[in-house]
Amino acid sequence: MSEERTEINSLGEFGLIELLTKNIEIQQASTVLGVGDDAAVIDHFGRQTVVSTDMLVEGIHFDLMYTPLKHLGYKSVAVNLSDIYAMNATPTHITVSIAFNNRFSVEALNEFYEGVYAACEKYGVDLIGGDTSSSQKGFVISVTALGEVAPDQFVKRSTAQKGDLLCVSGDLGAAFLGLTLLEREKKIFLESPQLQPDLEEQTYIIGRQLKPEPRRDIIEWLEKNDIKPTAMMDVSDGLSSEILHICKQSNLGVVLYEEKIPIAQESKEMALKFGMDPTACALSGGEDYELLFTMKQEDYDKIVMSEEISVIGYMADISEGAHILTKGGNKFKLVAQGWNAFQQ
Amino acid sequence: MSEERTEINSLGEFGLIELLTKNIEIQQASTVLGVGDDAAVIDHFGRQTVVSTDMLVEGIHFDLMYTPLKHLGYKSVAVNLSDIYAMNATPTHITVSIAFNNRFSVEALNEFYEGVYAACEKYGVDLIGGDTSSSQKGFVISVTALGEVAPDQFVKRSTAQKGDLLCVSGDLGAAFLGLTLLEREKKIFLESPQLQPDLEEQTYIIGRQLKPEPRRDIIEWLEKNDIKPTAMMDVSDGLSSEILHICKQSNLGVVLYEEKIPIAQESKEMALKFGMDPTACALSGGEDYELLFTMKQEDYDKIVMSEEISVIGYMADISEGAHILTKGGNKFKLVAQGWNAFQQ
């Protein structure tokens, strides 16, 4: 190692990725799109292959105390498929590599793979390879998903246009609230193991956390209705962070309307119980795996036919910056930690 | 988790993989070859895509005390490319995902990626994606490699024929002996930090451990000389284990000649220093990343032109079993732990 030491925290994840990938030299003529989007794109003689990969680490991305292994297997696949759909592509194949210590039994791994296979079956994807290995501590999962798309029909983050409508599928914030509830119940259980949590009434938000579904239906609906998004990505880190990615990569500003952000009734109620602002949960909660996309204004009449898609704002000139207009009529700068936007 | 508990050790890695993948149902018509070989094969309208993935875990697969991060980055890519070449394919793209704790600095990660990029440049491969994540403990690396091959020119493990010659590239056992030497020096250093190891004379075996090269040259030589292997795989676990894979998957027996197994002079000398049998090191050492393949007898005249390829035996009827004929004229049953074969 060299003698200088720069802490990784000082760069943040995106800064780190930028630094580590800035010297990439593309050698293959078939590389259509490399690092920096939901997935990469490779040309294959008439079709294009889309490739995405995600790593999930116990204690960082999941807690086995409240995550059933079958759900974990399902989610590991689902979050990768979500990246493929976010390219406007169809997932076809996955590889799954895992590392685990001797705490795990064969039955436990079987449960994990039951979830993997359930997701494969539901989304018509083949598991074609992987690796199993020991770990020093905890469970590590690495999934790579391949998909296909007709030539140049993939949708990047960098191609939004000024004036385009900003849209999102489904509702936001529920996965974060589900996680918050599970973390609270875990804390109560650890302090008083005799208290059994009653989570029956919260199946929606807990399901959104433990078993997310990639939005294949949205991609199919858009295609059927002849709408091609101008830019698209999935919501894994939180709405505000993702919107800022599209702004930065498309070199644009944005206006986001707080009142248009779709939030489920169950999420609103749980946020209030926790003393949280539902909008902040949607802006910075993450793990919703909804699709965030931009489209031309003239497609507005078509999009209102979908109950699953909300128009939440529009893309503006870069000189206008990125802002959220609140229900109260205030205008705040949009920041990656949406929570802070309301603490100014 | 279910109530039964079967220890994973009771199955072994291959038993575990068999169990976890036995219920796979292929849904995609494009899946030409799934789990169970060096890599999977997908059809892409005239060309075929080959996919392989490997996970490397600190403390299991590598020790950062004597593994420079740049070498580790290079090796992480190299071992995956080796799987692609072992399919008779050409690697084109990789993804690299890593998990690390805050012990790592930006400079350390930069060194690791320097090795990744060096391997990419040497083998003409593009890095197209990945993921960076925190880990609870240690460094975890997951690489997926994609390659291409002309239609149905890929070579599986299961297609060897009775009477075929068994061949291997390069020499064997050196990577294991390099590891043994590094482990010994580590132990000495921990006990007496003032003693500086002198590894200058052992650059060959240490290089074989720390910086393996996938055998692209062998694949190119075979193609140029119009030899298509009937079965092939790379030597990652050890020669005897890999030979037994080809036997099992091709439903054949084998006769292996001890005197034909290629072992470098440096390896023989180091084995003797350690009081080990050089043949046992070759049979069960592993990590040589040489290519093990079978070919038709009529190609023998061509293969003798290569100084890099040794004919080490021939494929026999399954009823004859798998045996090694020793230099002393004895015949032993070949077992996955080659070491044991000499302890009967």
Side-chain angles (χ1 to χ4, degrees):
Chain A
M1 296 197 203
S2 68
E3 290 180 23
E4 277 182 73
R5 183 178 169 91
T6 310
E7 295 302 327
I8 287 163
N9 289 343
S10 69
L11 293 177
E13 187 183 354
F14 299 108
L16 177 66
I17 293 172
E18 257 181 50
L19 182 79
L20 296 176
T21 57
K22 70 178 192 295
N23 292 326
I24 290 185
E25 285 174 30
I26 295 299
Q27 303 185 66
Q28 292 281 340
S30 59
T31 304
V32 178
L33 183 66
V35 170
D37 216 296
D38 295 286
V41 181
I42 306 170
D43 185 64
H44 269 113
F45 301 87
R47 295 288 279 191
Q48 289 174 336
T49 297
V50 177
V51 186
S52 178
T53 190
D54 263 311
M55 194 176 254
L56 290 90
V57 181
E58 182 180 350
I60 310 290
H61 301 98
F62 58 89
D63 185 331
L64 287 178
M65 193 160 163
Y66 52 69
T67 310
L69 280 162
K70 191 173 171 179
H71 286 64
L72 182 61
Y74 192 93
K75 182 171 178 173
S76 303
V77 177
V79 302
N80 274 277
L81 302 188
S82 180
D83 279 324
I84 301 293
Y85 289 120
M87 296 300 289
N88 198 34
T90 304
T92 52
H93 301 87
I94 58 165
T95 64
V96 176
S97 293
I98 55 175
F100 47 85
N101 57 19
N102 56 15
R103 181 168 55 112
F104 282 79
S105 66
V106 171
E107 288 76 14
L109 292 183
N110 250 332
E111 283 200 40
F112 174 80
Y113 274 89
E114 273 178 34
V116 168
Y117 290 128
C120 284
E121 199 184 337
K122 176 153 187 185
Y123 292 96
V125 163
D126 285 349
L127 176 73
I128 53 164
D131 196 10
T132 60
S133 159
S134 297
S135 77
Q136 285 190 299
K137 189 181 178 191
F139 191 34
V140 181
I141 306 153
S142 178
V143 178
T144 300
L146 306 179
E148 56 178 39
V149 63
D152 300 322
Q153 291 302 302
F154 62 88
V155 176
K156 298 194 285 185
R157 300 173 177 179
S158 59
T159 42
Q161 300 293 321
K162 186 178 157 182
D164 282 352
L165 299 175
L166 181 68
C167 307
V168 72
S169 64
D171 62 82
L172 301 172
F176 169 73
L177 286 158
L179 177 65
T180 307
L181 179 61
L182 287 165
E183 287 282 351
R184 193 193 65 174
E185 294 301 327
K186 175 186 169 182
K187 193 157 170 280
I188 293 172
F189 176 80
L190 289 175
E191 284 165 3
S192 319
Q194 75 285 3
L195 291 180
Q196 284 296 313
D198 180 13
L199 303 173
E200 283 278 311
E201 285 180 20
Q202 307 303 340
T203 52
Y204 181 69
I205 63 170
I206 288 173
R208 291 282 286 175
Q209 168 58 223
L210 295 181
K211 192 165 174 284
E213 299 289 352
R215 299 305 305 256
R216 170 173 62 180
D217 57 330
I218 299 294
I219 297 300
E220 289 173 350
W221 188 90
L222 290 171
E223 196 191 2
K224 208 170 62 187
N225 288 276
D226 204 24
I227 302 170
K228 190 182 171 193
T230 52
M232 184 156 57
M233 66 184 299
D234 70 339
V235 181
S236 52
D237 289 333
L239 180 63
S240 57
S241 164
E242 319 301 16
I243 291 176
L244 290 171
H245 277 298
I246 289 183
C247 286
K248 187 180 174 195
Q249 295 194 33
S250 295
N251 210 26
L252 290 175
V254 74
V255 176
L256 172 66
Y257 297 100
E258 181 189 7
E259 64 179 341
K260 300 291 189 187
I261 299 172
I263 300 174
Q265 190 56 34
E266 293 92 331
S267 304
K268 287 179 186 162
E269 285 165 15
M270 187 51 64
L272 294 179
K273 262 194 199 167
F274 286 137
M276 291 170 169
D277 180 330
T279 300
C281 295
L283 283 176
S284 52
E287 290 204 276
D288 293 310
Y289 298 105
E290 296 295 343
L291 291 172
L292 175 71
F293 59 95
T294 56
M295 60 166 203
K296 296 190 198 105
Q297 285 188 29
E298 54 254 45
D299 285 331
Y300 180 77
D301 289 347
K302 297 181 197 166
I303 211 90
V304 290
M305 302 297 291
S306 166
E307 289 181 8
E308 286 290 325
I309 297 171
S310 306
V311 178
I312 58 174
Y314 65 89
M315 304 311 292
D317 193 84
I318 191 167
S319 63
E320 295 183 44
H323 293 94
I324 178 167
L325 294 182
T326 68
K327 292 171 187 166
N330 290 313
K331 186 176 175 182
F332 288 113
K333 195 165 176 245
L334 197 63
V335 291
Q337 292 277 314
W339 188 252
N340 296 332
F342 295 85
Q343 295 181 327
Q344 294 173 351
Chain B
M1 298 195 200
S2 70
E3 291 180 21
E4 276 183 73
R5 184 178 168 93
T6 309
E7 296 301 328
I8 286 163
N9 289 343
S10 70
L11 293 177
E13 186 182 354
F14 300 108
L16 177 66
I17 293 171
E18 256 181 52
L19 182 80
L20 296 177
T21 57
K22 71 177 191 297
N23 292 325
I24 290 185
E25 284 175 30
I26 296 299
Q27 303 184 69
Q28 292 281 341
S30 60
T31 303
V32 179
L33 182 67
V35 171
D37 217 296
D38 294 287
V41 181
I42 306 169
D43 186 64
H44 270 113
F45 302 87
R47 294 289 279 191
Q48 289 174 337
T49 298
V50 178
V51 185
S52 178
T53 191
D54 263 312
M55 193 177 254
L56 288 91
V57 181
E58 181 180 350
I60 310 291
H61 301 97
F62 60 89
D63 186 330
L64 287 179
M65 192 160 164
Y66 51 70
T67 310
L69 280 162
K70 190 172 171 181
H71 286 65
L72 181 61
Y74 193 93
K75 182 171 177 174
S76 303
V77 176
V79 303
N80 274 278
L81 301 188
S82 181
D83 279 323
I84 301 293
Y85 290 120
M87 296 301 288
N88 197 36
T90 303
T92 52
H93 301 87
I94 58 165
T95 64
V96 176
S97 293
I98 55 174
F100 48 85
N101 57 21
N102 56 14
R103 182 168 54 112
F104 283 80
S105 65
V106 172
E107 287 77 14
L109 292 183
N110 250 333
E111 283 202 38
F112 174 81
Y113 273 90
E114 273 177 33
V116 168
Y117 290 128
C120 284
E121 197 183 337
K122 176 153 186 183
Y123 292 97
V125 163
D126 285 350
L127 175 73
I128 53 165
D131 197 10
T132 59
S133 160
S134 298
S135 77
Q136 284 191 298
K137 188 180 178 191
F139 191 36
V140 181
I141 307 153
S142 178
V143 178
T144 299
L146 306 180
E148 57 178 38
V149 63
D152 299 323
Q153 291 302 303
F154 62 87
V155 177
K156 297 193 286 184
R157 301 172 177 179
S158 59
T159 41
Q161 300 293 320
K162 186 178 157 182
D164 282 352
L165 298 175
L166 182 66
C167 307
V168 73
S169 64
D171 62 83
L172 301 172
F176 169 74
L177 285 157
L179 178 64
T180 307
L181 178 61
L182 288 165
E183 287 283 349
R184 194 194 63 175
E185 294 301 326
K186 174 185 170 183
K187 195 158 167 280
I188 292 171
F189 176 81
L190 290 176
E191 284 165 4
S192 318
Q194 76 284 3
L195 291 179
Q196 283 297 314
D198 178 14
L199 301 173
E200 284 276 312
E201 285 180 21
Q202 306 305 337
T203 51
Y204 180 68
I205 64 170
I206 288 173
R208 291 282 287 173
Q209 167 59 224
L210 294 182
K211 192 164 173 284
E213 299 288 352
R215 299 305 307 255
R216 169 174 60 180
D217 57 330
I218 299 293
I219 296 300
E220 289 173 350
W221 190 90
L222 290 171
E223 195 191 3
K224 207 169 63 186
N225 288 276
D226 204 24
I227 301 169
K228 189 181 173 195
T230 53
M232 184 157 56
M233 66 185 298
D234 70 338
V235 180
S236 53
D237 289 334
L239 180 64
S240 59
S241 164
E242 320 301 16
I243 291 176
L244 290 171
H245 276 300
I246 289 183
C247 286
K248 189 182 173 193
Q249 294 194 33
S250 295
N251 210 25
L252 291 174
V254 75
V255 177
L256 172 67
Y257 297 100
E258 182 190 6
E259 63 180 342
K260 301 291 189 185
I261 298 172
I263 300 174
Q265 191 56 33
E266 293 92 332
S267 304
K268 285 180 187 162
E269 284 165 16
M270 188 51 65
L272 294 179
K273 261 194 202 169
F274 286 137
M276 291 171 168
D277 181 330
T279 301
C281 294
L283 284 175
S284 52
E287 291 203 275
D288 294 310
Y289 299 105
E290 296 296 343
L291 290 172
L292 174 71
F293 59 95
T294 57
M295 60 166 201
K296 295 192 200 104
Q297 286 188 29
E298 54 254 46
D299 285 331
Y300 180 77
D301 289 346
K302 296 183 199 165
I303 212 93
V304 290
M305 303 298 293
S306 166
E307 288 180 9
E308 285 290 325
I309 297 173
S310 307
V311 178
I312 57 174
Y314 64 89
M315 304 310 292
D317 193 83
I318 191 168
S319 63
E320 294 182 45
H323 293 94
I324 178 168
L325 293 183
T326 68
K327 293 171 187 166
N330 290 312
K331 185 176 176 181
F332 288 114
K333 195 166 175 241
L334 197 64
V335 291
Q337 293 277 314
W339 187 252
N340 296 333
F342 294 86
Q343 294 180 327
Q344 292 173 353

PDB file of all heavy atoms in Angstrom, chain A residues 102-116:
ATOM      1  N   ASN A 102     -20.022 -21.484   9.043  1.00  0.00           N
ATOM      2  CA  ASN A 102     -20.599 -22.789   9.412  1.00  0.00           C
ATOM      3  C   ASN A 102     -21.832 -22.693  10.318  1.00  0.00           C
ATOM      4  O   ASN A 102     -22.411 -23.712  10.689  1.00  0.00           O
ATOM      5  CB  ASN A 102     -19.539 -23.694  10.048  1.00  0.00           C
ATOM      6  CG  ASN A 102     -18.904 -23.038  11.247  1.00  0.00           C
ATOM      7  OD1 ASN A 102     -19.415 -22.050  11.769  1.00  0.00           O
ATOM      8  ND2 ASN A 102     -17.776 -23.579  11.687  1.00  0.00           N
ATOM      9  N   ARG A 103     -22.241 -21.477  10.654  1.00  0.00           N
ATOM     10  CA  ARG A 103     -23.525 -21.252  11.303  1.00  0.00           C
ATOM     11  C   ARG A 103     -24.665 -21.729  10.398  1.00  0.00           C
ATOM     12  O   ARG A 103     -25.755 -22.077  10.860  1.00  0.00           O
ATOM     13  CB  ARG A 103     -23.630 -19.739  11.510  1.00  0.00           C
ATOM     14  CG  ARG A 103     -24.831 -19.191  12.177  1.00  0.00           C
ATOM     15  CD  ARG A 103     -24.559 -17.718  12.531  1.00  0.00           C
ATOM     16  NE  ARG A 103     -24.157 -16.925  11.368  1.00  0.00           N
ATOM     17  CZ  ARG A 103     -24.920 -15.956  10.833  1.00  0.00           C
ATOM     18  NH1 ARG A 103     -26.095 -15.664  11.335  1.00  0.00           N
ATOM     19  NH2 ARG A 103     -24.475 -15.269   9.796  1.00  0.00           N
ATOM     20  N   PHE A 104     -24.429 -21.742   9.075  1.00  0.00           N
ATOM     21  CA  PHE A 104     -25.488 -22.088   8.133  1.00  0.00           C
ATOM     22  C   PHE A 104     -25.560 -23.593   7.914  1.00  0.00           C
ATOM     23  O   PHE A 104     -24.544 -24.255   7.767  1.00  0.00           O
ATOM     24  CB  PHE A 104     -25.260 -21.402   6.792  1.00  0.00           C
ATOM     25  CG  PHE A 104     -25.650 -19.964   6.807  1.00  0.00           C
ATOM     26  CD1 PHE A 104     -24.810 -19.017   7.358  1.00  0.00           C
ATOM     27  CD2 PHE A 104     -26.878 -19.565   6.316  1.00  0.00           C
ATOM     28  CE1 PHE A 104     -25.179 -17.684   7.418  1.00  0.00           C
ATOM     29  CE2 PHE A 104     -27.252 -18.239   6.358  1.00  0.00           C
ATOM     30  CZ  PHE A 104     -26.401 -17.301   6.911  1.00  0.00           C
ATOM     31  N   SER A 105     -26.786 -24.114   7.886  1.00  0.00           N
ATOM     32  CA  SER A 105     -27.005 -25.531   7.584  1.00  0.00           C
ATOM     33  C   SER A 105     -27.422 -25.669   6.129  1.00  0.00           C
ATOM     34  O   SER A 105     -27.750 -24.689   5.462  1.00  0.00           O
ATOM     35  CB  SER A 105     -28.112 -26.080   8.484  1.00  0.00           C
ATOM     36  OG  SER A 105     -29.341 -25.441   8.152  1.00  0.00           O
ATOM     37  N   VAL A 106     -27.422 -26.894   5.660  1.00  0.00           N
ATOM     38  CA  VAL A 106     -27.915 -27.173   4.305  1.00  0.00           C
ATOM     39  C   VAL A 106     -29.372 -26.726   4.176  1.00  0.00           C
ATOM     40  O   VAL A 106     -29.768 -26.147   3.156  1.00  0.00           O
ATOM     41  CB  VAL A 106     -27.765 -28.672   3.990  1.00  0.00           C
ATOM     42  CG1 VAL A 106     -28.458 -29.011   2.682  1.00  0.00           C
ATOM     43  CG2 VAL A 106     -26.289 -29.067   3.947  1.00  0.00           C
ATOM     44  N   GLU A 107     -30.164 -26.964   5.224  1.00  0.00           N
ATOM     45  CA  GLU A 107     -31.578 -26.556   5.177  1.00  0.00           C
ATOM     46  C   GLU A 107     -31.708 -25.042   5.016  1.00  0.00           C
ATOM     47  O   GLU A 107     -32.581 -24.551   4.295  1.00  0.00           O
ATOM     48  CB  GLU A 107     -32.311 -27.007   6.454  1.00  0.00           C
ATOM     49  CG  GLU A 107     -32.565 -28.508   6.547  1.00  0.00           C
ATOM     50  CD  GLU A 107     -31.305 -29.303   6.920  1.00  0.00           C
ATOM     51  OE1 GLU A 107     -30.312 -28.679   7.368  1.00  0.00           O
ATOM     52  OE2 GLU A 107     -31.317 -30.533   6.722  1.00  0.00           O
ATOM     53  N   ALA A 108     -30.845 -24.294   5.696  1.00  0.00           N
ATOM     54  CA  ALA A 108     -30.896 -22.833   5.601  1.00  0.00           C
ATOM     55  C   ALA A 108     -30.590 -22.391   4.171  1.00  0.00           C
ATOM     56  O   ALA A 108     -31.292 -21.551   3.607  1.00  0.00           O
ATOM     57  CB  ALA A 108     -29.898 -22.204   6.583  1.00  0.00           C
ATOM     58  N   LEU A 109     -29.561 -22.982   3.571  1.00  0.00           N
ATOM     59  CA  LEU A 109     -29.217 -22.600   2.190  1.00  0.00           C
ATOM     60  C   LEU A 109     -30.334 -22.994   1.227  1.00  0.00           C
ATOM     61  O   LEU A 109     -30.623 -22.283   0.267  1.00  0.00           O
ATOM     62  CB  LEU A 109     -27.896 -23.239   1.766  1.00  0.00           C
ATOM     63  CG  LEU A 109     -26.662 -22.703   2.495  1.00  0.00           C
ATOM     64  CD1 LEU A 109     -25.407 -23.348   1.939  1.00  0.00           C
ATOM     65  CD2 LEU A 109     -26.559 -21.184   2.381  1.00  0.00           C
ATOM     66  N   ASN A 110     -30.948 -24.143   1.504  1.00  0.00           N
ATOM     67  CA  ASN A 110     -32.077 -24.566   0.678  1.00  0.00           C
ATOM     68  C   ASN A 110     -33.210 -23.542   0.721  1.00  0.00           C
ATOM     69  O   ASN A 110     -33.828 -23.259  -0.310  1.00  0.00           O
ATOM     70  CB  ASN A 110     -32.614 -25.918   1.166  1.00  0.00           C
ATOM     71  CG  ASN A 110     -32.321 -27.024   0.174  1.00  0.00           C
ATOM     72  OD1 ASN A 110     -32.216 -26.778  -1.023  1.00  0.00           O
ATOM     73  ND2 ASN A 110     -32.186 -28.227   0.675  1.00  0.00           N
ATOM     74  N   GLU A 111     -33.473 -23.001   1.891  1.00  0.00           N
ATOM     75  CA  GLU A 111     -34.517 -21.978   1.995  1.00  0.00           C
ATOM     76  C   GLU A 111     -34.153 -20.749   1.182  1.00  0.00           C
ATOM     77  O   GLU A 111     -35.003 -20.173   0.491  1.00  0.00           O
ATOM     78  CB  GLU A 111     -34.704 -21.562   3.455  1.00  0.00           C
ATOM     79  CG  GLU A 111     -35.494 -22.574   4.251  1.00  0.00           C
ATOM     80  CD  GLU A 111     -36.066 -21.938   5.512  1.00  0.00           C
ATOM     81  OE1 GLU A 111     -36.521 -20.776   5.458  1.00  0.00           O
ATOM     82  OE2 GLU A 111     -36.058 -22.622   6.536  1.00  0.00           O
ATOM     83  N   PHE A 112     -32.893 -20.340   1.289  1.00  0.00           N
ATOM     84  CA  PHE A 112     -32.429 -19.189   0.505  1.00  0.00           C
ATOM     85  C   PHE A 112     -32.657 -19.435  -0.988  1.00  0.00           C
ATOM     86  O   PHE A 112     -33.215 -18.594  -1.700  1.00  0.00           O
ATOM     87  CB  PHE A 112     -30.952 -18.920   0.805  1.00  0.00           C
ATOM     88  CG  PHE A 112     -30.351 -17.850  -0.049  1.00  0.00           C
ATOM     89  CD1 PHE A 112     -30.549 -16.509   0.244  1.00  0.00           C
ATOM     90  CD2 PHE A 112     -29.587 -18.179  -1.164  1.00  0.00           C
ATOM     91  CE1 PHE A 112     -29.999 -15.512  -0.555  1.00  0.00           C
ATOM     92  CE2 PHE A 112     -29.035 -17.188  -1.965  1.00  0.00           C
ATOM     93  CZ  PHE A 112     -29.250 -15.858  -1.661  1.00  0.00           C
ATOM     94  N   TYR A 113     -32.260 -20.627  -1.447  1.00  0.00           N
ATOM     95  CA  TYR A 113     -32.403 -20.923  -2.885  1.00  0.00           C
ATOM     96  C   TYR A 113     -33.866 -21.093  -3.309  1.00  0.00           C
ATOM     97  O   TYR A 113     -34.203 -20.829  -4.465  1.00  0.00           O
ATOM     98  CB  TYR A 113     -31.556 -22.133  -3.283  1.00  0.00           C
ATOM     99  CG  TYR A 113     -30.145 -21.721  -3.625  1.00  0.00           C
ATOM    100  CD1 TYR A 113     -29.173 -21.662  -2.640  1.00  0.00           C
ATOM    101  CD2 TYR A 113     -29.804 -21.314  -4.903  1.00  0.00           C
ATOM    102  CE1 TYR A 113     -27.888 -21.233  -2.932  1.00  0.00           C
ATOM    103  CE2 TYR A 113     -28.524 -20.884  -5.209  1.00  0.00           C
ATOM    104  CZ  TYR A 113     -27.567 -20.848  -4.221  1.00  0.00           C
ATOM    105  OH  TYR A 113     -26.312 -20.419  -4.509  1.00  0.00           O
ATOM    106  N   GLU A 114     -34.725 -21.519  -2.370  1.00  0.00           N
ATOM    107  CA  GLU A 114     -36.164 -21.557  -2.706  1.00  0.00           C
ATOM    108  C   GLU A 114     -36.638 -20.166  -3.108  1.00  0.00           C
ATOM    109  O   GLU A 114     -37.411 -20.013  -4.059  1.00  0.00           O
ATOM    110  CB  GLU A 114     -36.976 -22.051  -1.507  1.00  0.00           C
ATOM    111  CG  GLU A 114     -37.093 -23.555  -1.439  1.00  0.00           C
ATOM    112  CD  GLU A 114     -37.874 -23.973  -0.202  1.00  0.00           C
ATOM    113  OE1 GLU A 114     -38.815 -23.246   0.203  1.00  0.00           O
ATOM    114  OE2 GLU A 114     -37.528 -25.022   0.364  1.00  0.00           O
ATOM    115  N   GLY A 115     -36.174 -19.160  -2.389  1.00  0.00           N
ATOM    116  CA  GLY A 115     -36.521 -17.779  -2.730  1.00  0.00           C
ATOM    117  C   GLY A 115     -35.929 -17.357  -4.064  1.00  0.00           C
ATOM    118  O   GLY A 115     -36.590 -16.707  -4.876  1.00  0.00           O
ATOM    119  N   VAL A 116     -34.669 -17.752  -4.295  1.00  0.00           N
ATOM    120  CA  VAL A 116     -34.023 -17.447  -5.579  1.00  0.00           C
ATOM    121  C   VAL A 116     -34.836 -18.041  -6.727  1.00  0.00           C
ATOM    122  O   VAL A 116     -35.171 -17.365  -7.708  1.00  0.00           O
ATOM    123  CB  VAL A 116     -32.574 -18.005  -5.603  1.00  0.00           C
ATOM    124  CG1 VAL A 116     -31.997 -17.964  -7.019  1.00  0.00           C
ATOM    125  CG2 VAL A 116     -31.682 -17.235  -4.632  1.00  0.00           C
TER     126      VAL A 116
END
